[in-house]
Amino acid sequence: MAYRVLVWGLGAMGSGVARNVAKKEELRLVGAVEKDSEKIGKDLGEYLDGKKTDRLIYSDVGEAIAETRPDIVVIATNSFVEEVLPKIEMAAKHHVDILTIAEEMAFPFASHPEESEVLENIAWRYGVSILGTGINPGFVLDLLIIAMTGACLKVERIEARRINDLSPFGKTVMKTQGVGTSPEEFKKGIESGEIVGHIGFQQSIAMIGNALGWNIDRVEETREPIISRTERKTDVAHVMPGMVAGCRHIGRGYCGDRLVIELIHPQQILPEIEGVDTGDYIDIFGDPEIHLSVKPEIPGGKGTIALATNMIPAVIEATPGLIEMSELPVPRCLIDEIREM
């Protein structure tokens, strides 16, 4: 029998997850939850691809769960633990497993210890599994690195870079990256916390450190604006010369005074316009040294949609608790239905 999936949030990522789930042999898309009044009550299939399916878009998650009886809810609405925690609890009360693409949920144990304890208690109280995942954090700058260290006799230091294109993402991501602001607005946004750059360095560094048995004493982060020299335009962002096209964000993890993990992540819209080649690069220094180069980068939007879909069976089959990617089976691509192949 196929696992029944309810998607909460129909933005750029949520809609992509819903479309992908609908294609998979092991999964069945049963409905969606959305706050946009123009979407509520519509046929989900018609909204996604113009084909009527008799699966609805709901405004209330409790009603949606009661009517669709999902095995899991995929939450694609927010990035931060404090924002997504109440939604996780609402779904968990119906004894439904939860997968979220909220970046801080990829490894919240070090950055949000109190909230993690609350989430762990929720998971055990209602007998559900809770996972946060995505392309990054959740895969490129943490899980993939951890897997590569399996071929090392010892590891002394890790450096990794993800140079990627923000263009596929929606308004929420653009806002957190400062896309479309002036340099002065970017600086003020950093100071106020409205602009955060990449969300997930704390989680990725803690996940790697935990897997390798390193005691990460502190994580330091720097953020700088990427100023555009050209006009750039996506469906949700418009940048003129002199405006901010993205954020160069660096996270560094230390064991005492020793730098052991450095993650470098410059993100911007349409980088190719200014001759920037995208890619994912991982350098592990130890015995032996391992150097991985992926060019161009693994697409962020497609990668997040894929991971949020492909990890569904593993979450449902896991024992109850707040879990993280390194505790689950290796991600694999779920096969499409025969009619789609």
Side-chain angles (χ1 to χ4, degrees):
M1 293 179 62
Y3 292 121
R4 300 172 64 86
V5 182
L6 178 72
V7 175
W8 190 345
L10 290 174
M13 293 298 100
S15 294
V17 171
R19 290 187 183 96
N20 198 39
V21 165
K23 297 177 182 179
K24 299 302 178 181
E25 187 176 74
E26 297 180 43
L27 308 177
R28 182 180 177 190
L29 181 65
V30 296
V33 179
E34 175 58 47
K35 66 179 182 180
D36 187 343
S37 59
E38 295 184 1
K39 301 174 186 176
I40 295 167
K42 291 186 176 181
D43 183 281
L44 178 57
E46 286 186 328
Y47 170 75
L48 293 174
D49 57 22
K51 299 178 182 178
K52 189 174 179 62
T53 61
D54 294 324
R55 299 163 193 165
L56 297 179
I57 302 174
Y58 298 82
S59 61
D60 181 81
V61 68
E63 179 186 2
I65 292 174
E67 292 192 7
T68 65
R69 298 174 291 106
D71 297 299
I72 190 169
V73 174
V74 177
I75 302 177
T77 57
N78 307 99
S79 295
F80 304 103
V81 169
E82 64 180 14
E83 295 173 334
V84 78
L85 194 156
K87 296 179 180 180
I88 291 173
E89 184 171 18
M90 277 190 275
K93 286 181 177 179
H94 296 274
H95 305 282
V96 177
D97 292 318
I98 297 106
L99 185 153
T100 175
I101 62 172
E103 290 92 332
E104 286 189 341
M105 284 295 298
F107 196 92
F109 310 100
S111 59
H112 297 79
E114 294 181 5
E115 291 87 347
S116 294
E117 185 174 351
V118 170
L119 287 162
E120 185 72 28
N121 289 336
I122 288 171
W124 282 102
R125 184 185 310 151
Y126 298 109
V128 302
S129 299
I130 304 169
L131 173 72
T133 192
I135 192 65
N136 186 44
F139 188 73
V140 175
L141 293 185
D142 37 51
L143 184 65
L144 184 57
I145 292 172
I146 292 168
M148 289 173 60
T149 66
C152 295
L153 298 173
K154 67 176 181 179
V155 177
E156 297 173 349
R157 181 171 63 87
I158 293 167
E159 180 179 317
R161 292 170 290 142
R162 177 164 169 79
I163 303 168
N164 73 309
D165 184 0
L166 282 175
S167 303
F169 290 92
K171 293 181 180 179
T172 300
V173 171
M174 298 298 173
K175 183 177 180 180
T176 61
Q177 293 289 335
V179 176
T181 63
S182 67
E184 294 77 17
E185 291 170 336
F186 183 93
K187 182 179 179 180
K188 291 179 180 178
I190 291 291
E191 293 171 351
S192 69
E194 184 176 354
I195 297 173
V196 297
H198 170 61
I199 304 168
F201 277 145
Q202 297 276 343
Q203 289 69 35
S204 292
I205 291 171
M207 187 190 300
I208 296 168
N210 180 69
L212 297 181
W214 287 346
N215 181 24
I216 303 297
D217 298 302
R218 71 184 189 279
V219 175
E220 297 179 353
E221 301 182 56
T222 60
R223 303 169 182 85
E224 298 176 352
I226 298 173
I227 308 300
S228 184
R229 301 189 303 272
T230 57
E231 182 178 6
R232 314 188 200 185
K233 191 172 184 180
T234 73
D235 291 340
V236 297
H238 189 188
V239 172
M240 297 297 291
M243 296 174 67
V244 176
C247 178
R248 177 178 169 82
H249 195 164
I250 301 174
R252 298 181 176 94
Y254 292 84
C255 288
D257 294 329
R258 186 165 66 96
L259 174 64
V260 292
I261 302 171
E262 184 173 36
L263 306 180
I264 303 166
H265 196 10
Q267 301 189 81
Q268 59 186 303
I269 62 170
L270 302 171
E272 69 277 4
I273 288 180
E274 296 196 7
V276 176
D277 293 329
T278 63
D280 295 312
Y281 310 92
I282 297 173
D283 299 298
I284 300 174
F285 300 94
D287 183 16
E289 287 192 4
I290 299 178
H291 305 280
L292 175 71
S293 175
V294 180
K295 298 180 64 175
E297 93 283 16
I298 302 172
K302 289 182 179 180
T304 294
I305 290 166
L307 282 156
T309 303
N310 293 331
M311 295 307 297
I312 287 172
V315 176
I316 294 173
E317 293 163 11
T319 55
L322 175 60
I323 53 183
E324 46 104 356
M325 286 292 286
S326 68
E327 297 177 305
L328 294 174
V330 174
R332 63 182 178 86
C333 181
L334 300 182
I335 191 171
D336 286 2
E337 289 185 332
I338 298 300
R339 63 182 174 82
E340 297 288 346
M341 295 180 65

